[in-house]
Amino acid sequence: MSFRHNDIRARVTVIRIAQLVLAVVLILGWELAARYGLIDDFFFSRPSDIAVRLADWFGSGAIWRHLSITLTEAALALGIGGAAGTMIGFFLARTQFAAAVFEPYVRMGNALPRVVLAPIFLLWFGLGIWSKVALGVSLVFFIVFFNTYQGVREVDRVLVDNARMLGASERQLLRHVLLPSALTWILASLHLSVGFALIGAVIGEYLGASRGVGYLISQAEGTFDTTGVFAGMTVLCVVVVVVDIAINRVERYLLRWKSFHGTAITKER
């Protein structure tokens, strides 16, 4: 087991180094192409100029007010959309009649273009955070719902039947069988949902807001400030990566029983 663990650590280290080298090559190539006129820095800016702008934003503290608003909107959208998607997904997966009745409506709702819904949410909820949260929820809900629905439907029927034969109630079945089995699907949906929650918040801010990273990007675009646009996008990319790392840690913690189970099987063999 120690050799295998060392191999995994070595592989992860190699991957991280390759990712870092790729990032350096891309950024350096972008900078040189802009400096030597291979690309027009009016449209693409320069990494060095973007770094200076980011240093100015974070050094002055101007970015924190906007970033906190965007993260609040995204967190609310992720929490509300994720909870609703999980609960409704479980309910419809366990109730065949209700699933058959609501299936066409769910698919129609998922087919609606969210960009079209954004102005409607602005009319309904105003220019505050709730119009952005509503747009984020409309994106997150369906991702989590379909993953939860499929995850519950994919649970081994023999396992469910055995639990029922042992006298498990619906609540016990949900807690000890269905939820652990579907947890991998649900957590996988959260990786996608984080990005979509941020997309919903930023699009809403872009269309109408007085604060937020989307507002910063909109203002920069309105003055043809490509450096500001790329700086705003860089902030969003870093936030998504940081949150995804946090979700990976939570996922490893929640699914640690799989590692223990695999280790036990290996020892028995």
Side-chain angles (χ1 to χ4, degrees):
M1 290 297 295
S2 60
F3 290 113
R4 183 183 177 187
H5 183 67
N6 291 334
D7 290 342
I8 293 174
R9 291 187 61 182
R11 184 172 180 272
V12 170
T13 301
V14 171
I15 291 174
R16 294 289 180 264
I17 293 174
Q19 290 173 337
L20 181 61
V21 170
L22 179 60
V24 170
V25 170
L26 290 175
I27 293 173
L28 184 60
W30 180 3
E31 179 73 24
L32 293 175
R35 286 186 178 275
Y36 290 101
L38 297 178
I39 58 175
D40 192 340
D41 59 0
F42 177 79
F43 296 104
F44 294 96
S45 188
R46 299 179 184 179
S48 57
D49 294 336
I50 296 170
V52 171
R53 181 66 60 85
L54 290 172
D56 178 60
W57 282 356
F58 284 97
S60 65
I63 187 64
W64 295 115
R65 181 170 65 101
H66 297 284
L67 185 58
S68 64
I69 291 294
T70 301
L71 289 178
T72 300
E73 294 164 350
L76 288 171
L78 185 64
I80 297 172
T86 302
M87 289 188 294
I88 297 176
F90 263 100
F91 172 72
L92 294 185
R94 298 296 297 161
T95 313
Q96 294 184 0
F97 178 77
V101 171
F102 284 100
E103 180 182 5
Y105 298 100
V106 171
R107 295 193 180 279
M108 283 189 292
N110 186 43
L112 288 175
R114 307 307 189 273
V115 177
V116 174
L117 293 176
I120 298 177
F121 289 143
L122 287 173
L123 290 174
W124 288 352
F125 302 106
L127 297 176
I129 68 170
W130 291 109
S131 57
K132 289 74 177 175
V133 172
L135 183 59
V137 168
S138 70
L139 292 166
V140 171
F141 169 80
F142 290 101
I143 297 173
V144 178
F145 167 78
F146 283 116
N147 272 48
T148 303
Y149 181 81
Q150 190 64 30
V152 175
R153 295 290 293 270
E154 291 291 331
V155 175
D156 190 353
R157 296 301 307 173
V158 175
L159 186 62
V160 174
D161 293 338
N162 287 340
R164 287 193 180 281
M165 288 176 60
L166 293 173
S169 64
E170 188 67 25
R171 183 177 178 181
Q172 292 172 328
L173 189 66
L174 173 65
R175 180 180 177 183
H176 297 291
V177 178
L178 298 177
L179 184 58
S181 299
L183 193 59
T184 303
W185 290 77
I186 297 171
L187 292 174
S189 70
L190 290 180
H191 289 283
L192 291 174
S193 299
V194 168
F196 279 96
L198 274 172
I199 289 172
V202 171
I203 290 177
E205 292 167 354
Y206 185 86
L207 293 176
S210 59
R211 290 179 296 176
V213 178
Y215 168 77
L216 283 180
I217 294 174
S218 175
Q219 292 296 303
E221 187 180 86
T223 57
F224 300 101
D225 179 12
T226 54
T227 300
V229 173
F230 278 101
M233 291 192 296
T234 301
V235 170
L236 294 175
C237 290
V238 172
V239 168
V240 169
V241 170
V242 171
V243 174
D244 192 65
I245 292 173
I247 291 177
N248 277 329
R249 292 183 179 274
V250 173
E251 183 177 6
R252 284 198 297 269
Y253 175 78
L254 293 176
L255 298 179
R256 64 192 185 281
W257 58 272
K258 285 192 172 183
S259 299
F260 295 152
H261 181 66
T263 303
I265 292 176
T266 303
K267 288 181 178 179
E268 288 178 2
R269 290 178 178 176

